[in-house]
């Protein structure tokens, strides 16, 4: 379902503004550190947005998090997003939401990791190429 709801703010204003909107609606403090020099390619930007949005939603809804941190970084070849929270952990990477995100990231030749021991904290990360694969 999450992949079908496309935020117009992402197209119109970019990743920073779209994530600011998610953070504002989260109901708990969400800090976004944007270390990107420029907007990623559209497919990459969309994937990063949905990874962050799903991780924030899960942290609030399922983990009882009180504080969430989203960090966007890049290097010459990749764009990365890491979301960490202080919730109770135990996120299941094979659950429908996280496994769907993993499939989307992998389809773009990226990597996706979930580290969520019972008791927390949780860290979800995705690294994607700056340019989507051809095909």
């Amino acid at each position: 379902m999450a992949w079908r709801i496309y935020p117009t703010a992402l197209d119109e204003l970019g990743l920073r503004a779209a994530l600011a909107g998610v953070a504002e609606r989260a109901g708990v403090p969400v800090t976004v550190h944007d270390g990107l020099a420029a907007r990623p390619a559209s497919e990459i930007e969309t994937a990063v947005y949905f990874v962050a949005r799903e991780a924030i939603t899960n942290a609030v809804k399922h983990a009882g998090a009180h504080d969430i941190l989203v960090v966007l970084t890049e290097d010459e070849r990749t764009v990365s997003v890491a979301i960490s929270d202080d919730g109770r952990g135990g996120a299941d990477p094979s659950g429908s939401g996280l496994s769907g995100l993993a499939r989307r990231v992998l389809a773009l030749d990226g990597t996706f990791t979930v580290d969520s021991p019972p008791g927390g904290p949780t860290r979800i990360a995705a690294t994607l190429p700056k340019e989507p694969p051809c095909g």
Side-chain angles (χ1 to χ4, degrees), residues 1 14 23 37 50 52 67 75 85 134:
M1 178 69 171
F50 281 112
D67 192 36
D75 62 25
D85 69 67
C134 296

Side-chain angles (χ1 to χ4, degrees), residues 14-102:
L15 186 58
R16 180 180 300 162
L19 288 178
V22 172
E24 187 176 297
R25 294 184 301 275
V28 301
V30 177
T31 303
V32 178
H33 291 289
D34 182 359
L36 304 182
R39 287 184 73 169
S42 177
E43 297 94 332
I44 303 305
E45 185 177 58
T46 300
V48 167
Y49 169 82
F50 281 112
V51 167
R53 188 178 93 176
E54 180 78 10
I56 292 166
T57 300
N58 287 349
V60 174
K61 186 176 179 181
H62 302 295
H66 296 99
D67 192 36
I68 301 168
L69 175 63
V70 178
V71 178
L72 303 167
T73 58
E74 68 179 332
D75 62 25
E76 326 56 68
R77 295 183 317 264
T78 63
V79 173
S80 298
V81 59
I83 307 92
S84 54
D85 69 67
D86 64 352
R88 62 181 153 268
D92 181 3
S94 65
S96 62
L98 291 177
S99 66
L101 291 175

Side-chain angles (χ1 to χ4, degrees), residues 115-130:
D115 181 21
S116 186
T122 294
R123 183 174 189 276
I124 296 173
T127 299
L128 296 126
K130 281 192 172 177

